[in-house]
Amino acid sequence: MSDSTSPHGFSVVICVYTEERWEDILAAVDSVRKQSLPPLETLLVVDHNERLLERLTEEYADERLHEEVRVLANAGPRGLSSGRNTGIAASRGEFVAFLDDDAVAERDWLHHLAAAYDGPEVMAVGGRTLPAWASGRRPAWFPEEFDWVVGCTYRGLPPGRVRVRNVLGGNASFRRTAFDAAGGFATGIGRDGDRRPLGCEETELCIRLAKALPGAILLIDDRAVIHHKVPSVRERFGYFRTRVYAEGLSKALVAQSVGAQKGLESERRYTTRVLPSGVLRGVGDALRGRSGGAGRAGAIVSGVTIAAGGYALGTLRARRGGTAFSWGPIERSEGGTAKDGTAQGSTAKDSTAQAPAVKAPATTVPATKVSAAKGSTPEGATP
């Protein structure tokens, strides 16, 4: 770990949106507070939910916790990307880490993330996300190659500390200066509460970062572990089908932004190497009479087909100008409210937890392509 990475160098951002995850939110914050490498602060960003904002502000109003945990209102339009941008704008650390609101981090999570920043060229570091199944174990039909469906590290990624194209958004960290160079997360792509489970906002950002800083290194260290809760509804094939279709739509948006060559570079390896091996493994298990083998093989084939359909439709919509998303610079701010045309969120109840200023997106991508970064790209972290 470099000398510049102090024990107080991390701001941890947790984006929240529903009271239904109240206990999960408290558990996520508690896991950050118990880190062996204490963060400078934890930023809870509430996505346009006044009641949740009030409850969390009250929960962490104790003077002992006041500076340790700050509660903010999303200063931009509804959605995960704007929530993350709000947290980035308010952050005081040299590094900004992101943790899902339904996940808990192991005690050395931040320690391992920090240790990977051993040179100024390292701009992002992610970790390993393990599923915590509501049923207590993985469904027999659910292939490990598709664990990204439930927000977890999937089979096919190399072990150890490795260079990647992009990190996984629910278990990721960036140098704060990365956002100065590349801008923030794009709005119009990614999660929006309980609506269709789109994604890939971190993929688009990481590719854009590599374009802005051609020498940038992005890593995953599988020792930086979090455990991501998988509710029972997400253990069903219906959710699997919906999520892989949404992933196809999302990948079309990424290709629209950065070009298909970079936007799908890692996906080509995934579909031509990782997934065929998974099908053969599943068929082999079925022939040996092992439970779930045929189901896993079928799920992989179905998943590829459904995702391809989503990608085709998303590409068609983009060509017709039916989709657009925006990104732009993030203004550092210690307080204030959204300005420059950005949708304004609710104001937190205490003066230190007000929504920061987030500049309006400077770049809108309708149906045109932005050239990708030059040079080779390492393995991707999402399919």
Side-chain angles (χ1 to χ4, degrees):
M1 181 174 64
S2 66
D3 293 338
S4 63
T5 309
S6 71
H8 300 289
F10 276 86
S11 296
V12 179
V13 175
I14 303 174
C15 294
V16 303
Y17 70 98
T18 177
E19 290 183 84
E20 293 179 4
R21 290 186 177 181
W22 178 257
E23 296 299 328
D24 295 334
I25 294 168
L26 299 186
V29 173
D30 189 58
S31 74
V32 175
R33 295 184 61 226
K34 292 178 178 178
Q35 288 295 297
S36 61
L37 184 66
L40 171 65
E41 59 189 351
T42 300
L43 304 175
L44 281 172
V45 183
V46 183
D47 194 11
H48 298 276
N49 185 327
E50 184 67 27
R51 173 58 183 157
L52 179 58
L53 180 69
E54 292 174 353
R55 287 188 68 185
L56 287 172
T57 300
E58 182 179 351
E59 179 73 20
Y60 295 105
D62 185 280
E63 184 176 352
R64 181 174 56 88
L65 300 175
H66 191 62
E67 287 300 316
E68 189 177 344
V69 181
R70 291 196 287 153
V71 181
L72 313 172
N74 181 358
R78 174 180 164 134
L80 181 57
S81 290
S82 288
R84 287 173 173 168
N85 290 341
T86 297
I88 296 164
S91 64
R92 298 184 294 218
E94 182 182 356
F95 305 91
V96 182
F98 299 95
L99 179 67
D100 276 348
D101 63 344
D102 55 352
V104 292
E106 292 191 359
R107 190 170 184 272
D108 290 331
W109 174 60
L110 285 180
H111 168 77
H112 290 301
L113 292 180
Y117 287 100
D118 56 2
E121 69 282 357
V122 180
M123 299 303 295
V125 180
R128 179 160 54 112
T129 302
L130 300 177
W133 303 97
S135 62
R137 64 178 183 176
R138 172 187 301 275
W141 64 269
F142 202 112
E144 293 182 14
E145 291 82 0
F146 274 79
D147 275 6
W148 55 266
V149 165
V150 291
C152 297
T153 303
Y154 66 93
R155 184 170 192 160
L157 282 177
R161 183 189 292 177
V162 294
R163 190 172 180 178
V164 293
R165 179 193 66 182
N166 64 275
V167 294
L168 294 167
N171 180 5
S173 66
F174 294 82
R175 286 190 188 273
R176 179 59 180 79
T177 53
F179 303 107
D180 297 333
F185 288 92
T187 58
I189 186 173
R191 294 273 181 160
D192 182 358
D194 288 319
R195 299 180 183 179
R196 175 171 286 164
L198 298 172
C200 295
E201 67 278 2
E202 69 272 18
T203 303
E204 192 275 338
L205 171 63
C206 288
I207 296 174
R208 184 164 20 101
L209 175 61
K211 178 177 183 269
L213 300 174
I217 293 176
L218 289 73
L219 302 171
I220 280 183
D221 190 327
D222 64 7
R223 296 172 298 174
V225 177
I226 71 169
H227 299 265
H228 186 249
K229 186 176 180 179
V230 183
S232 57
V233 67
R234 297 188 181 184
E235 296 184 5
R236 301 170 187 165
F237 185 75
Y239 179 81
F240 179 92
R241 181 181 61 235
T242 299
R243 179 66 184 90
V244 295
Y245 176 73
E247 184 73 6
L249 294 174
S250 301
K251 281 292 187 283
L253 287 174
V254 173
Q256 173 190 345
S257 172
V258 301
Q261 181 178 359
K262 287 294 179 184
L264 300 176
E265 190 168 46
S266 296
E267 287 72 13
R268 293 188 183 95
R269 174 191 174 275
Y270 174 75
T271 55
T272 59
R273 299 181 187 180
V274 176
L275 295 186
S277 296
V279 171
L280 292 175
R281 191 179 303 110
V283 171
D285 286 344
L287 292 175
R288 297 181 183 92
R290 296 173 181 171
S291 174
R296 289 191 297 274
I300 292 174
V301 174
S302 297
V304 172
T305 304
I306 295 168
Y311 180 82
L313 179 59
T315 301
L316 180 61
R317 288 177 177 174
R319 289 175 178 173
R320 292 178 175 177
T323 56
F325 61 95
S326 303
W327 56 269
I330 297 178
E331 179 180 322
R332 293 175 183 265
S333 176
E334 290 298 324
T337 56
K339 59 184 180 181
D340 293 338
T342 302
Q344 185 168 324
S346 303
T347 303
K349 301 302 179 183
D350 64 274
S351 60
T352 64
Q354 292 181 355
V358 180
K359 282 191 174 182
T363 301
T364 300
V365 183
T368 56
K369 293 181 179 179
V370 179
S371 59
K374 296 180 179 180
S376 59
T377 302
E379 298 288 351
T382 56

